[in-house]
Amino acid sequence: TCNIKNVDKYLQTLQLSDETLMDVSIRFRREMDKGLCRDTNPTAAVRMLPTFVLSTPDGTEQGEFLALDLGGANFRVLLVKVMADGEQKVEMENQIYDIPEHLMRGSGTELFDHIADCLANFLEKLGIKDKKLPLGFTFSFPCQQTKLDESVLLSWTKAFKSSGVEGKDVVSLLRKSIKKRGDFDVDILAVINDTVGTMMTCGYDDHLCEIGLIVGTGTNACYMEQMRNIELLDADEGRMCVNTEWGAFGDDGTLEDLRTDIDREIDAGSLNPGKQLFEKMISGMYMGELVRLILVRMTREQLLFQAKTTAELLTTGSFKTMSVFVHECLASAEKVLRGLNLDPSVEDCIATQRVCQIVSTRAAHLCAATLVAVLRQIRDNKAAEKLRTTIGVDGSVYKNHPEFSRRLHKMVRRLVPDCDVRFLQSQCGSGKGAAMVTAVAYRLAAQNAERQRILDTMCLSREQLLEVKRRMSEEMVRGLSKQTHEQASVKMLPAYVRSTPDGTEHGDFLALDLGGSSFRVLLVQVQSGQRHKAKMQQKIYSIPQETMQGTGEELFDHIVDCIAAFLEYMGMKGASLPLGFTFSFPCHQSRLDQGILLKWTKGFKASGCEGHDVILLLKDAVRRRQEFDLNFVAVVNDTVGTMMTCGYEDPKCEVGLIVGTGTNACYMEEMSNIELVEGNEGRMSINMEWGAFGDNGELDDFCTRFDHIVDDSSNNPGKQRYEKMISGMYLGEIVRNVLIDFTSKGLLFRGKLSERLKTWGIFATKFLSQIESDRLAMRQIRSILQHLGLTSSTIDDSVLVKEVCSVVARRAAQLCGAGLAAVVDRMRENRNLNQFSVTVGVDGTLYKTHPHFSSIMQETLQDLAPQCQVTFQKSEDGSGKGAALITAVACRIKSEGQH
């Protein structure tokens, strides 16, 4: 007799500890990495084949689809109707056709002709032969895919040996056979593996499903992998389903220490020795045979059946895997053994039952180990503390063995307690999944075309950009000319700065930088003869809300109090210094030391200032305080300040550009062209105020409806149109409106709008810079989207949001580059040069923080003004230092004039 203990001892090597299983899991994870990595993929045992299935169903799929399911001695043709109105429903009609033996081993042409004939028969029966329907093809053999509708057979498996198919694209073969008949047509959109079909079938009922598992005649799994990890494809956005082909795990020797003599014996007697070694330890095709070989050995070693074998017991394949399933009940165990002509005792039956238990438990546990590797990969991809996911499962072993699924689930949960895993049994095989893949492909293609159409309205051609450059040049001429200045949208205001620093400036200068709710006071000490040597000290002071909106006297008294406090802090109380005043509001100047405020912007409302000279207002306040003196004051626009700051380092800097909250530019123009100022000698800087370009309709043919929405909801509709297509204050708004449009059309966020996304200004421009940063993983985009109330956004949504940001920012940078091209080309022509090199001093948060803005702008500029070599220099010290330098230059010129 042989009791359970003896069986356990005899089959010790088949009972794997949790530690061993964890080790198998780690090994498999390493094998997955080899398959995903470009260099090791060609020799990897686990192939990790890309399937080109990019997205699981989202519930909006609808339409009629055909599916073919070929993987064994018969195949199915299905018609799947998918309904999405309110409730997801699927109706299916299907027909099973058999494949005669001679076709499975005959010529490939005949095989595919037979499939086409059966398809025609099916369509005829349903009376839909005249419709051209999309078709999904489940083809359960190892294939190399290059796109969703192209699949090259690597090798036949199971009982197939049809000639002339290996190495060929099965879709082309099927299309050829259908074409040859000529009486119907289909649109083959997808070829998939049965694991993918299972994942997609279950994914339709459970959107969390991202793994497909098959444990039947064979075993395999697929899962949704991050694109960036699939090195064979050069893409880093989104996800794709990978078919692991895990049956071949161990074919390179990785599992030798776990394979037993019995595993080796089974392999030696199989159709494909040395191949699919992992599958041979698990799947239904081999489980019964494993048990039979063990029973034969134990009988020969006198542990069973009184050491008497029978011819039946010694026959390969006599012990069916189905018997392993029923063996967990004693009565049926006896029946099976008697069927093999054995005469079992009760102990024999109990022992046999135990053998079956051990073999099927090992299979379930090994399967759990590899599944855990996949779960960990997905969890790490999402950087999730706890993963919630669903596994779609199919296959006879999983479905029919009474204990297999329970053991598999239990071990998975033991090995990854931090994953919340649901197992969902696929009800209708993989055919429905093939239809779902096709439905998804169909939906994605339609949605993609619609999104592209919308985004294309924001893409500018080279011709359009040249036209923007031409119109900007025209407006510049109109702004400079006395006759048209009033009507011109680009005002071209003279800034009365006639020269950039020459290095001989010296002395102490104050600078005041006022453009928002806080302002800076700076002391700049310039040392003569030492270019690049300017020491700066500064303090920031705030302006209370009531001061911004009180009287002009209160505002300027507050500013002067702060200057006095700063001088005292610097130990320079009572000094008399020149001051450069960066005043970033629209001003009319008729000389450097005068600036008449045209209108307050940015929340300022102090009374008695508009229409007055701000220098007089400042000097009056200094006089009231009677503590220090300003012996000269220059008013400077921030673009001119930036140009001067950079000009101190680089004498070729003759253009200033700001791309931040707003946008503007200045440059050195020939005096002879500035009709608003007397004199024809030398040059003067012009504050273009180019943000208003387009206010006379010059940009109407390039504006999209999103630009119109942003303009209409702004606090100055119809004004600053160019600025609204470029600057930081508005880009986020454009993106937000595109996202709302996409969502309302069901092209994004599954058509669900969050309340927050409807809020003006919620999409900060800094998000644009963050989202487009190349090193940013998709999950970081998701956290930004969560901040916007979009909690259930998918990876696909993130990819799309990134694309919208990129299109909007690209257009902004190109428009800015086109404007700049007009400026530098004008300077080149002014100087009658064939080639012109110049430096542009730049400041502004958008330019400085956006990862691609500067490079796209420079690329556009180079393309549209090829005769100009333009260098860009970021202004490190803002425009305050420039204001001090302008004052220094003015003081130098003044003193030169006095000598």
Side-chain angles (χ1 to χ4, degrees), residues 83-182:
M83 274 80 73
D85 31 74
E87 62 195 294
Q88 298 177 26
K89 263 208 340 262
V90 176
E91 286 174 7
M92 302 205 304
E93 310 252 358
N94 75 65
Q95 174 92 33
I96 293 181
Y97 295 92
D98 69 325
I99 300 179
E101 189 89 16
H102 71 273
L103 286 180
M104 288 165 80
R105 299 169 197 251
S107 86
T109 319
E110 287 175 15
L111 175 67
F112 282 95
D113 286 351
H114 175 65
I115 294 172
D117 295 344
C118 297
L119 190 53
N121 169 275
F122 179 77
L123 295 174
E124 204 150 291
K125 265 195 189 149
L126 292 178
I128 50 173
K129 221 167 164 187
D130 51 340
K131 283 189 184 174
K132 181 176 177 178
L133 294 175
L135 178 138
F137 187 8
T138 305
F139 188 71
S140 310
F141 301 92
C143 285
Q144 189 86 54
Q145 288 192 251
T146 45
K147 39 186 201 278
L148 188 57
D149 61 350
E150 183 176 284
S151 201
V152 174
L153 176 65
L154 295 174
S155 60
W156 283 117
T157 55
K158 301 170 228 184
F160 280 77
K161 247 315 172 234
S162 188
S163 63
V165 185
E166 291 183 340
K168 297 263 179 21
D169 167 29
V170 295
V171 177
S172 306
L173 295 173
L174 180 58
R175 280 187 182 136
K176 215 164 162 183
S177 292
I178 291 173
K179 202 168 174 184
K180 197 156 55 181
R181 278 191 61 104

Side-chain angles (χ1 to χ4, degrees), residues 763-775:
F763 204 98
T765 298
K766 67 164 191 243
F767 290 158
L768 249 83
S769 299
Q770 286 167 7
I771 285 174
E772 272 210 73
S773 149
D774 290 326
R775 294 288 14 105

Side-chain angles (χ1 to χ4, degrees), residues 303-526:
L303 295 167
L304 285 176
F305 311 129
Q306 290 108 25
K308 290 185 193 130
T309 58
T310 61
E312 286 83 350
L313 181 63
L314 295 175
T315 308
T316 305
S318 62
F319 198 99
K320 298 281 179 276
T321 294
M322 272 314 290
S323 316
V324 181
F325 301 170
V326 297
H327 248 77
E328 306 223 356
C329 123
L330 266 187
S332 31
E334 186 180 359
K335 197 170 152 198
V336 171
L337 293 174
R338 290 204 183 283
L340 294 172
N341 237 341
L342 292 158
D343 183 13
S345 63
V346 174
E347 276 81 10
D348 288 339
C349 291
I350 292 172
T352 303
Q353 190 183 9
R354 183 64 179 156
V355 172
C356 291
Q357 217 173 7
I358 289 173
V359 167
S360 66
T361 301
R362 179 181 74 152
H365 286 177
L366 282 170
C367 196
T370 46
L371 206 45
V372 163
V374 172
L375 286 165
R376 298 199 131 169
Q377 174 81 352
I378 293 177
R379 189 188 61 195
D380 292 354
N381 283 342
K382 294 187 179 176
E385 290 300 309
K386 190 168 169 61
L387 176 69
R388 260 190 77 201
T389 191
T390 298
I391 300 173
V393 203
D394 203 353
S396 51
V397 173
Y398 184 88
K399 286 185 166 170
N400 304 332
H401 189 296
E403 294 294 321
F404 185 92
S405 57
R406 194 183 57 77
R407 290 177 189 144
L408 172 71
H409 302 175
K410 199 169 161 187
M411 185 50 76
V412 166
R413 295 191 174 115
R414 233 162 69 201
L415 295 177
V416 275
D418 47 3
C419 288
D420 175 3
V421 184
R422 175 181 181 213
F423 288 83
L424 186 58
Q425 202 168 301
S426 164
Q427 294 310 324
C428 26
S430 51
K432 173 175 161 187
M436 290 318 309
V437 172
T438 310
V440 171
Y442 198 70
R443 165 176 66 83
L444 291 178
Q447 289 181 337
N448 222 5
E450 174 64 5
R451 286 193 288 254
Q452 235 12 78
R453 194 187 59 69
I454 296 169
L455 289 179
D456 282 348
T457 62
M458 304 180 82
C459 293
L460 299 171
S461 66
R462 184 164 188 272
E463 284 59 46
Q464 288 175 304
L465 290 168
L466 276 168
E467 182 58 21
V468 171
K469 174 189 173 185
R470 196 186 61 73
R471 292 181 194 179
M472 177 69 86
S473 305
E474 271 179 15
E475 277 308 298
M476 287 170 74
V477 173
R478 283 163 47 83
L480 288 169
S481 134
K482 243 194 190 125
Q483 281 178 311
T484 48
H485 173 79
E486 280 305 307
Q487 298 85 53
S489 60
V490 180
K491 286 289 179 232
M492 304 294 280
L493 305 169
Y496 295 89
V497 171
R498 291 166 187 263
S499 108
T500 47
D502 70 359
T504 63
E505 297 78 13
H506 58 97
D508 293 351
F509 302 92
L510 276 174
L512 185 57
D513 189 347
L514 177 68
S517 57
S518 65
F519 69 99
R520 296 197 297 163
V521 183
L522 303 92
L523 174 69
V524 182
Q525 295 169 307
V526 186

Side-chain angles (χ1 to χ4, degrees), residues 705-718:
R705 58 198 161 95
F706 305 111
D707 296 303
H708 291 298
I709 297 169
V710 169
D711 180 43
D712 293 341
S713 60
S714 69
N715 56 11
N716 52 351

